[in-house]
Amino acid sequence: MNRVVQPKPEYWAEAGSAASAIQLAGINVTFGSGNKKVEAIANIDLNVSQGEFVSLIGHSGCGKSTLLRVIADIIKPTRGSALIYGESPDMARRARTFSMVFQQSVLMPWSTVLENVRLPFKVGSRNLQSSSQAMDAVEALRLVELDGFATAKPAELSGGMRQRVAIARALVTKPRILLMDEPFGALDELVRDTLNVELLKIWRKAGTTIVFVTHSLHEAVFLSQRVVVMSRRPSHIEGIMEVDLPSERTLDLKDDPRIGAQVAQLRSMLDAG
Amino acid sequence: MNQDVVNIAGQSETATGVRLVHRITRLLPDEGPLRVALMGGIGLSSIVVFWQLVCSVFGIPHYLVPSPIDVVEAIRRDWALLASNAVPTITEAFLGFLIGNFVAIAVAISFVYNKIIQEMYYPGAILIKTIPIVAIAPVLKIMLGNGIEPKVAVAALICFFPTLVNAVRGFTAVSPNLLELMHVLSASKTEVFRYVRLYGALPYVFSALKISVTMCVLGAIVGEWIGANKGIGYVLIQSMYDFDTPRLFATILTASGIAIAGFAIVSVLEKLVITWDPGETV
Ligand SMILES: Nc1ncnc2c1ncn2[C@@H]1O[C@H](COP(=O)(O)OP(=O)(O)O)[C@@H](O)[C@H]1O
Ligand SMILES: [Mg+2]
């Protein structure tokens, strides 16, 4: 299968010398101990290159979120090492190298949309705001086409709009890596399709690296350059598929037979695991 | 539902009554605060009328059960007395409210910041709560004397526990998703508190304040019972000794008026502060 041509990136952050954005080696995650021990991830090695769009798929409970949370320094792996641009996840988190988007928008209901997007500047390393690295919160809202809703409260927005706010909040620090855990999983299909296309647009423009967890094979194929298929728990990588689609992906591509064929291929990989 | 209304004329008196109620309720709006207020008002008036009727028909002496008219008469007669004695009670209750809630929230914050402190002292605080407040009041009088202090202390104590329990619950009942987000943003404990826990706890704290604002009036009155020469509690005891039951009832109404006013003020504050829907996760 052809390697997808990398989009012309306009890197938000200094590219550095590392071509590898994320390096996972021998990752094992085991929760609890004794007879309550749950081995979520058996052994995973994975490299994600800078600017790449990678999706993680797998059966429910196989450890997709867990793997993403290892990268995001929310949980420490039991064994193995995770490096983000050569740094530990902990250092990368403090340096705001990555942002995370969850399945729920996780907005503060008491704050306006704009205040929510500004949250990353108010907490943690506040000096980021003045640095040229970040973008203006209004600009981030414009990126997700919500600049007219700056003063609205989250409760006034639809689910899709809230998720866009969450994406704006993630983008506002111009992260080199965007970690997304089923960000559109709770939305209906039409909204999901629109946001898929918008996300691709932003990704192409920003040149940021995206690791995207989804349970929709179709979404994985449509968005990604590579799809990582995880086996059942305790998980390992069952296989990696390079997506064969033009780099310019628009809504009408959603019904392209090439997607169907690759979804079928992913399904057979999943069933094997 | 029309069956009740379409009763044939000339039937029993209750049918007429039912028809009257139906006619009145149909004039009211279907729902909303106006209906709630009016329907409540109608219900309350019916009880007052019934009470008056019972007193008049059976000729119950007013030192046993005063009729509503006797009570209104007493209010008119003792208006100045009630008002002047309401002032110290309101002062004690208000100070107790402020101190009790302030300390409760401060303790709750210290629990949030230090798990060990919470583990050590929260069970004890809950234990103290089981001691009846009237049993503590005499101790406070011995310790604090005859002035305003023991009354304020009882009022503060009675406010302390509901607010402590609710504030602790509120500060810790933060959505785990928000905490995870704050972790990814490398937020410090203080930042998590300032941007998340504080707001998350506000609805809980306000429910506690609505309880304690009525409880602090009770606390002040209990404090006055133990020894005072002014205040609503004092007037209650005096009226009891004088067998002035109408005044006793008028004083009770004054006490509940103070509590209702406090409740209304806190409710308005709550509406102003909590502008989001606390039940909704976004
Ligand atoms: N904090 C935790 N404690 C114990 N078990 C956990 C924890 N988090 C996840 N697990 C378990 O690890 C497995 C993988 O979970 P997760 O990564 O959320 O799966 P998914 O692929 O659906 O995102 C599941 O069996 C889950 O029950
Ligand atoms: Mg998951």
Side-chain angles (χ1 to χ4, degrees):
Chain A
M1 234 164 265
N2 294 337
R3 186 84 177 90
V4 176
V5 185
Q6 287 264 352
K8 203 169 124 246
E10 157 200 315
Y11 289 119
W12 279 351
E14 283 298 310
S17 56
S20 216
I22 301 169
Q23 291 170 292
L24 303 176
I27 297 288
N28 172 287
V29 179
T30 307
F31 292 109
S33 55
N35 36 1
K36 287 212 178 126
K37 205 151 114 174
V38 177
E39 191 179 20
I41 296 177
N43 188 349
I44 281 187
D45 299 297
L46 180 69
N47 275 359
V48 179
S49 320
Q50 171 157 284
E52 203 180 4
F53 198 128
V54 175
S55 285
L56 299 179
I57 62 164
H59 294 280
S60 174
C62 77
K64 303 180 292 291
S65 299
T66 303
L67 190 62
L68 212 59
R69 289 148 72 91
V70 166
I71 302 171
D73 190 42
I74 297 170
I75 47 181
K76 301 255 179 282
T78 313
R79 284 196 304 274
S81 86
L83 288 178
I84 296 166
Y85 285 103
E87 290 181 322
S88 69
D90 174 61
M91 281 161 78
R93 170 171 61 81
R94 285 171 205 287
R96 294 280 167 82
T97 307
F98 57 82
S99 288
M100 190 148 178
V101 179
F102 306 87
Q103 180 165 4
Q104 284 83 27
S105 51
V106 198
L107 302 178
M108 303 177 292
W110 42 82
S111 299
T112 63
V113 164
L114 193 63
E115 284 165 0
N116 268 290
V117 176
R118 283 205 178 120
L119 181 67
F121 299 138
K122 291 184 185 148
V123 303
S125 28
R126 261 182 243 92
N127 51 342
L128 261 175
Q129 187 165 25
S130 51
S131 85
S132 57
Q133 202 196 329
M135 72 166 105
D136 184 48
V138 178
E139 195 186 328
L141 276 178
R142 201 172 301 131
L143 214 54
V144 295
E145 292 169 11
L146 274 184
D147 36 329
F149 292 86
T151 57
K153 287 271 170 73
E156 299 163 39
L157 307 182
S158 68
M161 288 158 94
R162 287 178 197 168
Q163 209 55 350
R164 287 194 216 183
V165 177
I167 292 173
R169 178 182 59 199
L171 293 176
V172 79
T173 49
K174 292 197 177 178
R176 299 165 88 178
I177 299 171
L178 196 53
L179 305 171
M180 307 181 91
D181 193 354
E182 304 197 22
F184 309 136
L187 306 178
D188 64 62
E189 210 179 329
L190 290 177
V191 178
R192 173 191 279 236
D193 285 351
T194 320
L195 286 180
N196 278 174
V197 174
E198 278 180 32
L199 179 63
L200 280 180
K201 237 187 263 170
I202 290 168
W203 169 65
R204 203 163 292 127
K205 183 157 180 270
T208 187
T209 308
I210 297 184
V211 183
F212 190 97
V213 170
T214 176
H215 57 245
S216 160
L217 306 183
H218 193 273
E219 188 178 40
V221 173
F222 178 75
L223 289 175
S224 334
Q225 296 176 307
R226 278 200 300 161
V227 181
V228 176
V229 181
M230 289 167 71
S231 71
R232 286 182 196 277
R233 206 187 72 209
S235 54
H236 54 88
I237 291 181
E238 195 59 43
I240 298 181
M241 189 179 86
E242 307 245 343
V243 175
D244 181 21
L245 285 176
S247 65
E248 190 67 38
R249 298 180 193 180
T250 51
L251 255 186
D252 33 298
L253 193 70
K254 279 251 167 189
D255 303 315
D256 196 289
R258 280 175 292 180
I259 290 193
Q262 290 175 81
V263 165
Q265 196 184 335
L266 283 181
R267 190 164 285 127
S268 66
M269 287 166 84
L270 268 177
D271 291 341
Chain B
M1 59 168 170
N2 270 357
Q3 278 137 326
D4 298 311
V5 189
V6 186
N7 262 327
I8 302 137
Q11 271 200 347
S12 65
E13 233 172 85
T14 42
T16 325
V18 167
R19 249 191 302 173
L20 188 68
V21 169
H22 270 275
R23 202 165 292 166
I24 292 170
T25 52
R26 262 187 303 162
L27 288 177
L28 298 179
D30 277 343
E31 51 196 296
L34 184 63
R35 184 182 174 93
V36 171
L38 286 172
M39 290 301 279
I42 292 171
L44 205 61
S45 320
S46 73
I47 292 171
V48 172
V49 168
F50 178 73
W51 171 15
Q52 180 69 46
L53 280 176
V54 169
C55 290
S56 312
V57 170
F58 296 102
I60 298 171
H62 63 67
Y63 59 86
L64 271 186
V65 180
S67 73
I69 291 176
D70 294 333
V71 176
V72 170
E73 203 52 47
I75 292 175
R76 203 157 349 132
R77 184 191 64 199
D78 296 330
W79 195 86
L81 174 86
L82 291 172
S84 65
N85 281 286
V87 173
T89 305
I90 293 172
T91 312
E92 294 149 11
F94 181 64
L95 286 177
F97 179 80
L98 286 186
I99 295 171
N101 286 306
F102 179 82
V103 175
I105 291 170
V107 170
I109 291 174
S110 80
F111 284 177
V112 172
Y113 271 87
N114 198 325
K115 201 94 205 128
I116 293 172
I117 293 184
Q118 172 164 1
E119 283 171 347
M120 281 172 68
Y121 297 107
Y122 196 41
I126 299 296
L127 259 173
I128 294 172
K129 180 184 153 48
T130 59
I131 303 174
I133 202 80
V134 278
I136 303 179
V139 181
L140 291 172
K141 182 184 153 66
I142 290 173
M143 293 190 321
L144 299 169
N146 285 323
I148 191 176
E149 295 88 350
K151 290 98 181 175
V152 173
V154 177
L157 208 57
I158 219 167
C159 289
F160 178 76
F161 291 102
T163 304
L164 176 69
V165 172
N166 268 31
V168 167
R169 197 182 299 155
F171 285 135
T172 47
V174 181
S175 114
N177 290 336
L178 262 177
L179 291 183
E180 202 159 277
L181 172 78
M182 293 303 266
H183 170 79
V184 171
L185 292 174
S186 311
S188 68
K189 251 183 172 178
T190 307
E191 286 164 344
V192 172
F193 187 85
R194 172 151 175 231
Y195 290 101
V196 177
R197 290 192 195 277
L198 197 60
Y199 291 93
L202 276 175
Y204 290 83
V205 169
F206 266 105
S207 350
L209 292 186
K210 283 199 279 193
I211 299 169
S212 63
V213 76
T214 55
M215 296 290 275
C216 69
V217 180
L218 170 71
I221 290 173
V222 168
E224 285 164 356
W225 279 356
I226 305 301
N229 49 18
K230 57 181 196 280
I232 292 295
Y234 166 76
V235 178
L236 282 173
I237 299 283
Q238 275 307 309
S239 310
M240 182 183 75
Y241 287 142
D242 297 346
F243 269 91
D244 193 341
T245 321
R247 183 195 282 164
L248 200 49
F249 271 63
T251 317
I252 293 169
L253 283 182
T254 311
S256 91
I258 296 169
I260 290 170
F263 188 85
I265 292 170
V266 173
S267 300
V268 168
L269 277 179
E270 181 185 31
K271 278 244 152 56
L272 293 177
V273 171
I274 299 175
T275 51
W276 65 97
D277 178 2
E280 196 173 21
T281 46
V282 287

